[in-house]
Amino acid sequence: EVQLQASGGGLVQPGGSLRLSCATSGFTFADYSVGWFRQVPGKEREGIACIGKSDGRSMYDNSVKGRFAISRDNANDTMYLQMDMPRPEDTAVYYCAARDGSILYTISDKYFYWGQGTLVTVSS
């Protein structure tokens, strides 16, 4: 059974830091590109970051570029999103996802496997 378990969400102050994790199982993690998405009520899910299988290539949405960093640990089948300098508009449910391909996408339709989401609230 494929599982992606996102964790690490919570309340963070603007300008603070937060790290999300996504532990995976049930598929060969190293063979999949992975990404982070987020969604607020009433809006479509948006892709914010993705990373390739093992070459370190990454891509970011302009809204988080320079503030967030995606990474992965293939030895432990886990991916991360380091959120630095978060803003109130970053408040959302964050999802991790995986796709069987090398091309980097931040389009949700390109991803096969999804985690359950973790809520991040940026507020003072």
Side-chain angles (χ1 to χ4, degrees):
E1 179 186 7
V2 171
Q3 290 191 332
L4 291 83
Q5 184 70 42
S7 62
L11 177 64
V12 60
Q13 292 189 341
S17 292
L18 194 69
R19 189 173 83 154
L20 306 183
S21 300
C22 178
T24 73
S25 62
F27 64 103
T28 306
F29 181 72
D31 288 345
Y32 284 69
S33 300
V34 293
W36 286 96
F37 294 74
R38 66 186 181 187
Q39 189 170 24
V40 298
K43 292 190 175 181
E44 291 190 358
R45 189 171 298 185
E46 64 171 344
I48 58 171
C50 56
I51 189 168
K53 298 177 184 180
S54 60
D55 59 5
R57 291 178 303 127
S58 59
M59 186 167 70
Y60 296 90
D61 184 80
N62 285 337
S63 63
V64 305
K65 193 176 296 182
R67 299 186 298 119
F68 293 4
I70 188 172
S71 61
R72 63 188 296 163
D73 179 352
N74 286 348
N76 290 295
D77 299 341
T78 303
M79 57 189 285
Y80 304 95
L81 183 69
Q82 178 67 38
M83 304 172 62
D84 295 328
M85 303 298 291
R87 304 165 180 165
E89 55 264 38
D90 295 320
T91 295
V93 176
Y94 284 72
Y95 298 88
C96 51
R99 65 179 301 275
D100 181 14
S102 298
I103 299 175
L104 298 184
Y105 288 105
T106 54
I107 303 170
S108 59
D109 289 351
K110 299 292 186 181
Y111 286 76
F112 305 147
Y113 300 138
W114 289 86
Q116 86 290 357
T118 185
L119 176 63
V120 173
T121 303
V122 184
S123 175
S124 55

